Amino acid sequence: MTIFTDTTRERAREIIARYPADRSRSALLPLLHLVQAEEGYVSPAGVAFCAEVLGLNKAQVGAVATFYTMYKRKPTGDFLVSVCTNTMCNVLGGQEVYDTLSEHLGVGHDETTADGTITLEHAECLAACDYGPVMTVNYDFFDGVDPSTAVGVVDELRAGGRPMPTRGARLCTLKEMAVQLAGFADERDGAVADGGPGEPTLRGLRLAQQHGVSVPGFDPNTPIRSKAEADKAAAEAKAKAEAAKPAPVEASAAPVKGGDGASAPTGVAEPAAAAGSTTRDVKAPDDKSPQVRTAETRQPDADTAVPDAPGTKAPADSSGTAPQAGDARSAEAAGVAANAPAGDGKPAGDEAGAQERNLTEAKADTDADGAGSADASETGAQK
């Protein structure tokens, strides 16, 4: 069992301290990157370590570690080469790039070269369709690759070189990248000074500059407010909105009749008749959910519905007669009676007479074709 270094344990405590005391489980993802930074993959010892420091069981940690593909469950090379073979990159030649690298390196998906330098994998999507076909080395992009340039990159890596990604910082090993994914800065001198954004990424910015498009009132020099300042501004805005609300309308002294003829509460105006309705509105009981109210309004044969509810009309047959209460239930009962449920032995409609008839017809057809009696019997039984 691997004994994790004191540095790893100190970093683990630092990661856990980023979260509230009752939310320490949220530290599991960066902790998995941390143990991968030490061993090159999430080993059983790494799972046990994460479970120990977070007070979880190993099954809970393993469930997360096996869900995300960035957590490797077996030893991985210094450089993880991922080739996008999803739709856009595939159309542009991504599969050809992957196949060429697989043959050149002598490994398949999620396999590592004999010298332990490179692990190859195909990726479903690397979120860089405008740069396709793309591949990444330890999650740094190499854009617009073809089989020749891809082979050149891996050959340089195996020779000890560090080819410069198209975008992003200077290449590092997978273990060094895992430290960064755990939330720690890249400590190499000038490591993040190289690289830059790609032209497709800047295209929208250049178009905005060209046509003078900008966010109204945007000032890049505006300082970021503290939480106290933001809370104060929100409280002032809320008070201003409350003050701008119109005063409530005074209640009328005369009672207003409701749709059922009873007196409505004082100050409540009678709702206007709905378009297309021939009856007055009926106030639904307050203890019913909106779904129940809607169902009762739109179902004319429901016990509690009105003949012509607001905004709807009771359906009528060709004679113009609306269905009476209970008609739907009677129709449903008739349908149930005509379709008896299946028994435990056979599905509905699977009668012995029908089976015998089918077998007889099949045997007759076979005999007509001149087949032997044994073959006919077997064929008929199969049918």
Side-chain angles (χ1 to χ4, degrees):
M1 181 175 179
T2 302
I3 304 299
F4 289 95
T5 64
D6 292 338
T7 301
T8 299
R9 293 183 177 275
E10 178 61 33
R11 283 177 167 171
R13 289 190 288 269
E14 183 177 339
I15 290 173
I16 296 173
R18 299 172 187 166
Y19 302 90
D22 58 342
R23 296 290 186 271
S24 61
R25 184 171 180 170
S26 300
L28 179 55
L29 295 182
L31 281 175
L32 287 169
H33 284 299
L34 183 66
V35 297
Q36 184 162 276
E38 182 152 335
E39 297 190 289
Y41 71 112
V42 179
S43 67
V47 171
F49 174 81
C50 292
E52 174 193 345
V53 297
L54 291 178
L56 305 175
N57 60 53
K58 290 186 286 187
Q60 291 171 311
V61 176
V64 176
T66 55
F67 182 83
Y68 296 101
T69 58
M70 292 179 75
Y71 301 125
K72 305 304 178 184
R73 301 311 306 274
K74 60 183 180 180
T76 307
D78 293 331
F79 299 98
L80 176 66
V81 176
S82 310
V83 182
C84 181
T85 56
N86 211 333
T87 305
M88 181 59 71
C89 284
N90 207 344
V91 169
L92 296 173
Q95 187 65 50
E96 184 181 358
V97 172
Y98 174 82
D99 292 340
T100 301
L101 287 178
S102 179
E103 181 179 357
H104 180 72
L105 297 172
V107 296
H109 170 66
D110 200 25
E111 294 180 352
T112 305
T113 55
D115 58 5
T117 303
I118 293 176
T119 295
L120 178 66
E121 68 175 7
H122 70 77
E124 282 302 313
C125 183
L126 294 176
C129 300
D130 46 352
Y131 294 97
V134 297
M135 76 176 192
T136 60
V137 177
N138 295 341
Y139 310 117
D140 281 320
F141 282 95
F142 288 82
D143 302 325
V145 295
D146 56 32
S148 177
T149 56
V151 168
V153 169
V154 297
D155 283 347
E156 186 175 349
L157 290 171
R158 300 184 78 179
R162 298 290 178 91
M164 187 63 203
T166 309
R167 294 174 287 130
R170 194 178 305 166
L171 276 185
C172 60
T173 66
L174 184 63
K175 290 182 179 181
E176 292 170 335
M177 177 57 70
V179 173
Q180 298 172 41
L181 293 173
F184 298 94
D186 191 339
E187 299 176 351
R188 296 174 299 159
D189 185 26
V192 296
D194 298 327
E199 186 58 34
T201 301
L202 297 175
R203 181 59 178 161
L205 176 61
R206 299 196 194 287
L207 286 173
Q209 293 174 338
Q210 178 182 349
H211 297 284
V213 178
S214 63
V215 178
F218 173 69
D219 181 4
N221 298 319
T222 300
I224 300 177
R225 294 183 297 185
S226 65
K227 185 178 184 303
E229 293 172 335
D231 291 343
K232 180 180 179 181
E236 292 175 350
K238 183 177 180 180
K240 185 176 180 181
E242 292 290 341
K245 284 184 179 180
V249 180
E250 293 184 3
S252 173
V256 180
K257 295 293 184 180
D260 56 358
S263 297
T266 303
V268 179
E270 182 179 6
S277 178
T278 58
T279 59
R280 302 166 69 87
D281 196 0
V282 178
K283 185 178 183 300
D286 292 336
D287 59 348
K288 293 185 179 180
S289 68
Q291 290 85 352
V292 172
R293 296 177 190 175
T294 302
E296 292 179 350
T297 298
R298 295 183 177 178
Q299 175 54 272
D301 65 348
D303 293 335
T304 56
V306 295
D308 189 7
T312 64
K313 289 183 178 296
D317 56 21
S318 57
S319 64
T321 303
Q324 300 300 313
D327 283 357
R329 289 188 292 276
S330 300
E332 182 180 2
V336 171
N339 294 275
D344 294 337
K346 297 179 180 179
D350 189 8
E351 301 175 355
Q355 289 185 345
E356 293 176 359
R357 183 174 62 254
N358 291 338
L359 291 174
T360 301
E361 293 175 355
K363 185 175 185 301
D365 293 341
T366 305
D367 290 342
D369 293 337
S373 59
D375 295 338
S377 177
E378 180 181 356
T379 303
Q382 291 176 351
K383 291 186 178 181

